[in-house]
């Protein structure tokens, strides 16, 4: 049995001093670990109706697309502003300093579509909370929210109450 945590590399002071960046590239580089991670997430939702997997730029694309392939669904990208070419809807959210924005194509989610949202890492939960707002504003139903890594001590889960949150690798 693979211990996925062994494939997460701590990079201190990236992207700025005081942050310990959880680098998932060693996990992505290892075929067995990458496959295992996508399978573990997908297995939690087998037997449930999932219309599409949605991933958040950029690392959420990698994990999300792999999960979509396992579940046999399509993939929906949520991106940073100005990247999506068609009509978009956007949501802004607070960062430590300033705000950030996410965008989705207006026709990505139809009313009643059952969406599984995937990202690489849950920290404060601001990013995912904004993403949930986008999906729900289009009438989508959030089946679940899945992360490779959760920084439990930041309590981001509390911002996502009302949704089922799954994470494979935890830091208390
Ligand atoms: P948050 O909105 O605070 O939950 O931050 C989540 C987003 O920021 C995710 O898309 C992560 O990719 C990134 N992120 C935040 N903190 C870290 C960290 N310590 N290591 C790696 N990525 C992080």
């Amino acid at each position: 049995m693979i211990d996925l945590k062994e494939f997460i590399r701590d990079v201190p002071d990236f992207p700025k001093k005081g942050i310990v960046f959880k680098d998932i590239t060693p996990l992505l580089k290892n075929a067995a670990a990458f496959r295992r991670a996508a399978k573990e997430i997908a297995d939690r939702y087998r037997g449930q109706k999932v219309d599409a997997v949605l991933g958040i730029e950029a690392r959420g694309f990698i994990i999300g697309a792999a999960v979509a392939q396992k579940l046999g669904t399509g993939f929906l990208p949520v991106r940073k502003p100005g990247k999506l070419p068609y009509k978009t809807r956007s949501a802004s959210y607070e960062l430590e300093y300033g705000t950030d924005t996410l965008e989705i194509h207006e026709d990505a989610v139809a009313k009643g579509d059952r969406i599984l949202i995937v990202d690489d890492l849950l920290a404060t939960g601001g990013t995912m909370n904004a993403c949930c707002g986008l999906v729900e504003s289009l009438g989508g139903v959030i089946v679940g929210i899945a992360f490779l890594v959760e920084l439990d001590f930041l309590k981001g889960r509390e911002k996502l109450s009302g949704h089922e949150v799954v994470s494979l690798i935890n830091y208390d």
Side-chain angles (χ1 to χ4, degrees):
M1 178 77 174
I2 300 169
D3 181 3
L4 294 177
K5 207 175 208 172
E6 286 176 10
F7 295 91
I8 304 296
R9 171 167 56 196
D10 280 4
V11 182
D13 299 322
F14 183 89
K16 57 183 180 186
K17 214 168 169 47
I19 305 276
V20 179
F21 193 85
K22 299 295 183 190
D23 179 14
I24 66 165
T25 62
L27 184 148
L28 299 176
K29 183 179 172 183
N30 185 283
F34 186 18
R35 191 167 51 240
R36 174 90 215 164
K39 180 180 183 320
E40 273 198 36
I41 292 176
D43 283 351
R44 311 271 182 129
Y45 301 95
R46 280 189 207 286
Q48 295 191 53
K49 185 174 182 292
V50 177
D51 293 311
V53 175
L54 180 151
I56 305 172
E57 185 174 1
R59 291 179 295 273
F61 287 1
I62 305 168
I63 315 292
V67 171
Q69 291 277 295
K70 296 256 180 223
L71 287 175
T73 73
F75 176 81
L76 311 173
V78 162
R79 300 203 64 179
K80 310 273 164 61
K83 301 280 190 186
L84 288 169
Y86 186 58
K87 290 180 212 155
T88 56
R89 187 165 290 201
S90 60
S92 294
Y93 57 101
E94 300 291 321
L95 296 174
E96 203 178 339
Y97 301 103
T99 61
D100 220 336
T101 301
L102 290 176
E103 290 186 346
I104 190 169
H105 272 152
E106 264 178 18
D107 65 352
V109 176
K111 200 165 172 357
D113 280 355
R114 294 174 56 81
I115 308 297
L116 169 61
I117 309 181
V118 177
D119 202 5
D120 66 321
L121 183 140
L122 173 60
T124 66
T127 307
M128 188 53 82
N129 189 39
C131 186
C132 289
L134 282 177
V135 171
E136 288 176 334
S137 79
L138 293 171
V141 175
I142 297 168
V143 180
I145 303 172
F147 300 93
L148 203 50
V149 179
E150 177 175 3
L151 304 182
D152 298 50
F153 56 90
L154 291 177
K155 303 190 189 313
R157 209 173 252 267
E158 290 176 6
K159 275 210 188 86
L160 307 174
S161 59
H163 298 297
E164 194 203 60
V165 177
V166 161
S167 55
L168 302 186
I169 304 164
N170 297 84
Y171 294 88
D172 299 324

